[in-house]
Amino acid sequence: MAISRTHPMLTVGKYVALLGYLSFALFPLYWLLKIALTPDQLVYSEGTSLWPSRITISNFTEVLFQTDFLTYFGNSLTVSLGTAALTTLIAAGAGYAFSRFDFAGKRLLIVVMLITQMFPLLMIIAPIYKIISSLGMLNSLTSLMVVYTAFNIPFATFLMQSFFDSIPKDLEDAAMMDGCSRFQALRKVVFPLTLPGLGATLGFVFTAAWSELLFALMLVSKNDAMTFPVGLLTFVSKFSVDWGQMMAAGVLALVPSCFFFIFIQRYLVQGLTSGAVKG
């Protein structure tokens, strides 16, 4: 029986295409770092060069020690982690219920959740502002977490439901026949298998909360409660933009996202090798 082999040119073409895609995807990040390391006096004179003739870290030191970046950074981290944890917890419970149980109003509830995703944010920002204002929650991180959680729950729920649907119900039934309660079956059998889903949901919600600007801009006006996306606007004045510091702040803002996804990747791999396939 002949063994089929991939033509060498086809293999080379795949790698070239992959390299081209990576270059296209990573070029904005490269340009971000390049501007962040460029001295102010060279930003415009050497703006189109691929690398500045001289580099500096003064933009990073000024952002860290002469601005309120650390306050914005901490606020974003608090809001994003809180939103991701709360949303994933609620979505996991709702997704499990939608996947495993039939109850009155289930279809109607799903339709309502889908409808909430159809409205543009600009259309509902005024009512949201009015509600948050009447509750006395303006200029607080709690208000952002509540709003972000509410808007991320529908998609996160459907995402978790799809993962629960992919897990055979027979596994739970077998565990309960062996003496486990439903909660024990959920914890010992289903939960390990849904770690990839939990990781994906955490990552999606964290990224959405970390980069959100509209609600943060409308609901927070005090400097000590601003999140990172709003804080970036402080580098824009009436007549100029401090590109070096803004780009340096952008580079620093990538750090938690990178570490967060490295942490999530651990659980993605663990989830693929745990649960019912465990010997």
Side-chain angles (χ1 to χ4, degrees):
M1 181 177 179
I3 299 176
S4 60
R5 295 182 179 179
T6 304
H7 195 279
M9 291 303 296
L10 183 59
T11 302
V12 172
K14 289 180 180 179
Y15 281 106
V16 170
L18 180 60
L19 182 62
Y21 171 76
L22 288 176
S23 300
F24 177 78
L26 296 178
F27 183 77
L29 300 181
Y30 162 78
W31 203 255
L32 187 75
L33 180 62
K34 180 251 183 184
I35 298 297
L37 293 172
T38 302
D40 291 339
Q41 61 270 26
L42 299 180
V43 169
Y44 292 101
S45 61
E46 298 183 355
T48 57
S49 62
L50 291 178
W51 194 253
S53 59
R54 182 163 52 90
I55 65 173
T56 179
I57 62 170
S58 61
N59 290 323
F60 290 93
T61 56
E62 289 174 6
V63 165
L64 289 173
F65 303 113
Q66 298 181 18
T67 70
D68 292 321
F69 171 79
L70 291 179
T71 299
Y72 307 146
F73 186 89
N75 291 340
S76 282
L77 200 60
T78 300
V79 170
S80 300
L81 289 175
T83 300
L86 184 59
T87 302
T88 302
L89 181 63
I90 297 173
Y96 181 78
F98 283 135
S99 176
R100 292 294 190 262
F101 305 110
D102 288 321
F103 51 88
K106 176 181 176 179
R107 293 182 181 276
L108 177 61
L109 185 57
I110 291 176
V111 170
V112 171
M113 292 176 67
L114 286 173
I115 290 176
T116 62
Q117 304 298 290
M118 297 171 59
F119 295 100
L121 294 182
L122 287 174
M123 183 177 177
I124 58 178
I125 186 65
I128 293 295
Y129 179 87
K130 183 66 175 178
I131 293 172
I132 297 298
S133 177
S134 63
L135 293 174
M137 295 175 61
L138 290 176
N139 296 310
S140 70
L141 301 183
T142 303
S143 65
L144 293 179
M145 283 191 280
V146 170
V147 173
Y148 292 169
T149 299
F151 277 89
N152 282 295
I153 279 178
F155 180 82
T157 296
F158 295 132
L159 186 62
M160 287 304 305
Q161 181 186 355
S162 67
F163 276 94
F164 284 119
D165 287 341
S166 66
I167 300 174
K169 192 176 179 181
D170 293 341
L171 294 176
E172 291 176 80
D173 295 337
M176 288 188 285
M177 288 180 63
D178 288 338
C180 290
S181 64
R182 179 173 290 277
F183 178 77
Q184 289 175 326
L186 177 63
R187 179 172 61 87
K188 296 180 179 180
V189 178
V190 179
F191 176 72
L193 294 175
T194 56
L195 285 177
L198 293 172
T201 304
L202 279 169
F204 167 79
V205 178
F206 179 88
T207 304
W210 182 262
S211 59
E212 202 283 325
L213 174 64
L214 181 59
F215 284 115
L217 186 63
M218 295 298 295
L219 301 179
V220 175
S221 58
K222 289 185 178 180
N223 198 60
D224 58 354
M226 286 183 179
T227 56
F228 165 72
V230 181
L232 276 181
L233 298 178
T234 61
F235 296 104
V236 181
S237 63
K238 186 175 182 180
F239 299 105
S240 65
V241 179
D242 195 331
W243 291 110
Q245 291 191 21
M246 180 181 285
M247 297 302 107
V251 171
L252 293 172
L254 293 174
V255 174
S257 296
C258 293
F259 278 105
F260 184 80
F261 278 100
I262 290 174
F263 172 77
I264 290 299
Q265 185 183 22
R266 259 182 55 196
Y267 289 92
L268 289 176
V269 175
Q270 179 183 347
L272 292 173
T273 57
S274 299
V277 298
K278 213 171 195 178

